[in-house]
Amino acid sequence: MKQGLFKKFLIGFFIANILCLLGAMFTANIAVSDEFEHIHVSWLIWDGHVPYRDFLEHHHPLMWYLFAPLIGLFEGNILIFYGVRLIMAACSLFMLYLVYKIIKNYLADDIAAWIAINIFCFSALVLNTMVHFKPDTLMHLFFWLGTYYFFTFIQDKKQKQLNLCALFYTIAFLFLQTAAFLILPIALVCIYLLCTKELSLKSCALAAIMPVFIIAGCVIFMYFNGSLQRYYELNWVVNSHIADYLSPESHTLEKNATEIASRRINDYSDYYGTLIIGLCCALYLLFRKKDKYTRIFLLMYLTELMLRTLYLSPYVYYFKTLLLYNAVLMGIVAADIYKLRSYAAYFMLLLFIPCLLKIYPFQKDMEKMLLDTTGSTQEITITSILSVITDITKNSSRDDMVLGITVIPFGVFNQNPHYYWFSWDYIGYIDEMLYHYTPPFDMQKIITEVQPKFIYFENDLLPNYKPKSRFDIDPVLLNKYYRKAIYNTLYLRKDD
């Protein structure tokens, strides 16, 4: 098949993938709790609260501050959920454009780039994560911006390019601290370039000026608003204990450790095949291509592969970056095969059709894996959550308190009944044991003393439900102070 025609088919597949991406904003049925968490935190900041100091959080704060004015502008209108998803989709598409440019300009050519991007987008997992309102999305965007300018610096050796690389990597880190793992292989490359005299200390020092000022500004800002110490404790110390907490062997929990550990996603078998193909492609390129750009990319891939293999990967969306690296490697090798045998294009297109239709096992809709499970047998759909949030908003004021469930804040535009307003039996529990920053979370006191206006509770729908710890609601106590509202899972104070 001629290259021009093959490219047109690849572009056509990508357009179809974009339509699937936009459709994922509305058709993803299972709730991804993190999105409501971050919308609520953005609103809390708009309302004058300070993260870490006034309420629990364990992510970096840049996204919340950026989106606080937008969330505040649409306060009370939960349709902002789709608005921020549209912004995330645009950011994800720009990220793909950067990956395309890196492949086209430094790793291979435009045919390889189109193949790689299509392979990446064929996964339902990827399409869903690309619209999520999470700091991961923006962190990935700025990481690839920084990586693009790093590759341009390697080629042109211009100081401005290295400065932009350092700046964008810093912004990526401010969105999410896990950017450090993505930046690590680039840092190793810089150390190598310093040792070989291809990079000077002066260039590094100049590139570090802006990041140092930005980080220093953030530290000063948190110091004066009283959140600096809590930022360190929650984002670094508490997060470092999560792996131990999720371990089934842990015996330090008040709840059943096996139940908590069941929140982990530990069956990635649907992805074994494509990951093995990606590894074979990496070995092929290691011996086939000796250029420095490919070697740098292979180091990035190897670092991410080791991280996902050896470190904590509790949910399947943690594999998003590895799947992208994987797709790039497969795209480059597939383009090589096409150049050797042009008729291979027909075979690839035949494989791409069922990929687009999400027929292969590794492409199945994995929304259930994206859900931070609540332990309930009832799946909470996005439409259900939006309906409940809308009803709560219409029948409460911004000063009223609402208690959601441990993974979803149903009072998106309301106050929290406790410092540990989500994840009180998980992240909050770890922090509580380490620092005793606030009085312990006690569900009985929340119901009898704090008395939020609304409480969302669905576990009484489970057969033989009984509260197991101070983190669980006692239905008898709940019914003493609350009555059911419009939904059979939403409770309203009896005096309202």
Side-chain angles (χ1 to χ4, degrees):
M1 180 181 291
K2 292 183 178 180
Q3 181 171 316
L5 181 59
F6 186 35
K7 187 189 298 186
K8 288 179 181 178
F9 274 114
L10 294 173
I11 294 173
F13 276 110
F14 180 65
I15 292 173
N17 276 314
I18 291 178
L19 295 176
C20 291
L21 170 68
L22 297 177
M25 289 175 25
F26 305 99
T27 60
N29 292 320
I30 305 301
V32 181
S33 58
D34 289 3
E35 295 185 87
F36 296 99
E37 170 195 338
H38 296 304
I39 292 175
H40 181 53
V41 172
S42 297
W43 180 83
L44 287 173
I45 289 175
W46 178 255
D47 196 45
H49 299 269
V50 176
Y52 319 124
R53 186 193 73 186
D54 297 336
F55 57 88
L56 171 71
E57 256 304 343
H58 64 119
H59 299 90
H60 275 187
L62 180 56
M63 185 180 77
W64 309 323
Y65 281 99
L66 286 179
F67 280 86
L70 180 64
I71 302 298
L73 180 64
F74 288 90
E75 179 177 332
N77 188 348
I78 195 55
L79 291 180
I80 188 61
F81 172 82
Y82 293 112
V84 294
R85 274 196 160 193
L86 182 60
I87 295 173
M88 294 300 105
C91 291
S92 294
L93 289 175
F94 186 39
M95 180 200 75
L96 289 183
Y97 171 73
L98 293 168
V99 174
Y100 170 87
K101 293 284 286 185
I102 290 173
I103 300 172
K104 178 178 180 291
N105 294 345
Y106 303 106
L107 300 176
D109 55 24
D110 56 347
I111 291 292
W114 284 117
I115 295 174
I117 290 175
N118 275 298
I119 291 174
F120 180 63
C121 291
F122 281 143
S123 170
L125 161 69
V126 166
L127 291 178
N128 284 335
T129 57
M130 285 170 67
V131 302
H132 288 165
F133 181 61
K134 297 178 60 176
D136 310 57
T137 307
L138 295 167
M139 181 265 286
H140 287 136
L141 169 61
F142 281 90
F143 165 73
W144 284 105
L145 261 173
T147 301
Y148 173 76
Y149 278 102
F150 182 74
F151 276 84
T152 60
F153 170 77
I154 294 296
Q155 181 183 60
D156 301 332
K157 298 294 189 299
K158 293 181 179 179
Q159 183 65 44
K160 179 181 178 180
Q161 296 162 344
L162 188 61
N163 294 348
L164 288 172
C165 169
L167 173 63
F168 290 135
Y169 279 164
T170 302
I171 296 173
F173 176 77
L174 293 178
F175 277 116
L176 200 64
Q177 54 268 46
T178 53
F181 294 112
L182 297 175
I183 299 169
L184 175 61
I186 303 299
L188 295 176
V189 172
C190 288
I191 293 173
Y192 171 79
L193 294 176
L194 282 169
C195 293
T196 58
K197 308 297 184 181
E198 297 180 62
L199 178 64
S200 67
L201 284 173
K202 180 181 178 181
S203 293
C204 292
L206 290 173
I209 292 175
M210 187 62 71
V212 167
F213 273 102
I214 292 174
I215 297 297
C218 292
V219 171
I220 293 170
F221 175 75
M222 287 189 288
Y223 175 79
F224 281 103
N225 69 19
S227 65
L228 182 59
Q229 180 177 339
R230 290 299 291 154
Y231 156 78
Y232 169 73
E233 292 168 349
L234 290 166
N235 283 271
W236 299 100
V237 181
V238 168
N239 280 347
S240 70
H241 285 77
I242 289 178
D244 296 334
Y245 182 80
L246 287 175
S247 171
E249 291 77 27
S250 173
H251 300 291
T252 62
L253 309 178
E254 293 190 24
K255 292 195 76 171
N256 185 319
T258 303
E259 178 184 340
I260 298 297
S262 69
R263 294 181 181 179
R264 300 188 62 170
I265 303 301
N266 49 32
D267 180 9
Y268 306 110
S269 57
D270 289 330
Y271 285 91
Y272 289 167
T274 187
L275 291 174
I276 290 173
I277 294 173
L279 182 59
C280 293
C281 291
L283 293 173
Y284 168 85
L285 293 175
L286 181 64
F287 294 102
R288 174 86 174 178
K289 302 189 70 172
K290 307 293 185 181
D291 63 279
K292 52 190 172 184
Y293 305 110
T294 301
R295 293 303 173 93
I296 292 172
F297 190 85
L298 287 174
L299 178 61
M300 295 165 62
Y301 163 76
L302 179 62
T303 304
E304 185 67 17
L305 179 63
M306 292 178 63
L307 179 65
R308 296 279 67 88
T309 304
L310 303 176
Y311 188 59
L312 178 70
S313 301
Y315 305 110
V316 74
Y317 56 73
Y318 278 56
F319 283 76
K320 176 182 176 181
T321 299
L322 182 59
L323 289 173
L324 179 52
Y325 288 157
N326 207 66
V328 172
L329 297 173
M330 293 170 66
I332 295 172
V333 173
D336 276 1
I337 294 173
Y338 164 73
K339 291 173 186 175
L340 293 173
R341 299 286 185 271
S342 61
Y343 58 79
Y346 296 100
F347 179 69
M348 276 186 265
L349 293 178
L350 286 175
L351 291 176
F352 279 9
I353 292 173
C355 280
L356 186 63
L357 298 175
K358 308 292 183 288
I359 291 176
Y360 296 127
F362 71 89
Q363 300 173 285
K364 71 182 183 182
D365 195 340
M366 305 188 77
E367 288 172 326
K368 293 181 181 180
M369 290 188 175
L370 294 170
L371 171 65
D372 293 334
T373 176
T374 66
S376 167
T377 58
Q378 301 290 323
E379 293 172 351
I380 308 177
T381 65
I382 287 177
T383 52
S384 298
I385 293 177
L386 296 180
S387 297
V388 174
I389 292 174
T390 299
D391 189 69
I392 290 174
T393 303
K394 287 181 178 178
N395 294 282
S396 64
S397 72
R398 69 197 323 269
D399 295 322
D400 287 325
M401 289 181 289
V402 175
L403 177 70
I405 56 178
T406 186
V407 294
I408 300 178
F410 284 90
V412 168
F413 304 112
N414 299 96
Q415 307 299 324
N416 300 320
H418 195 278
Y419 178 81
Y420 301 123
W421 58 281
F422 81 106
S423 193
W424 48 76
D425 61 342
Y426 176 22
I427 307 296
Y429 177 78
I430 298 172
D431 180 63
E432 182 184 301
M433 294 298 100
L434 289 173
Y435 296 109
H436 312 289
Y437 181 68
T438 63
F441 185 95
D442 189 320
M443 189 63 76
Q444 180 174 335
K445 290 184 178 180
I446 296 290
I447 294 174
T448 60
E449 298 177 14
V450 180
Q451 292 193 353
K453 183 167 185 176
F454 284 100
I455 293 179
Y456 188 92
F457 180 58
E458 62 174 2
N459 283 345
D460 58 343
L461 301 178
L462 299 173
N464 304 316
Y465 167 79
K466 291 182 180 179
K468 298 179 181 178
S469 73
R470 61 186 170 91
F471 300 119
D472 298 322
I473 292 177
D474 183 346
V476 175
L477 186 65
L478 180 66
N479 287 314
K480 181 179 179 181
Y481 292 91
Y482 288 80
R483 58 183 173 83
K484 287 191 175 181
I486 188 172
Y487 304 96
N488 64 351
T489 54
L490 185 63
Y491 289 78
L492 175 67
R493 262 192 330 236
K494 285 187 175 180
D495 57 356
D496 285 290

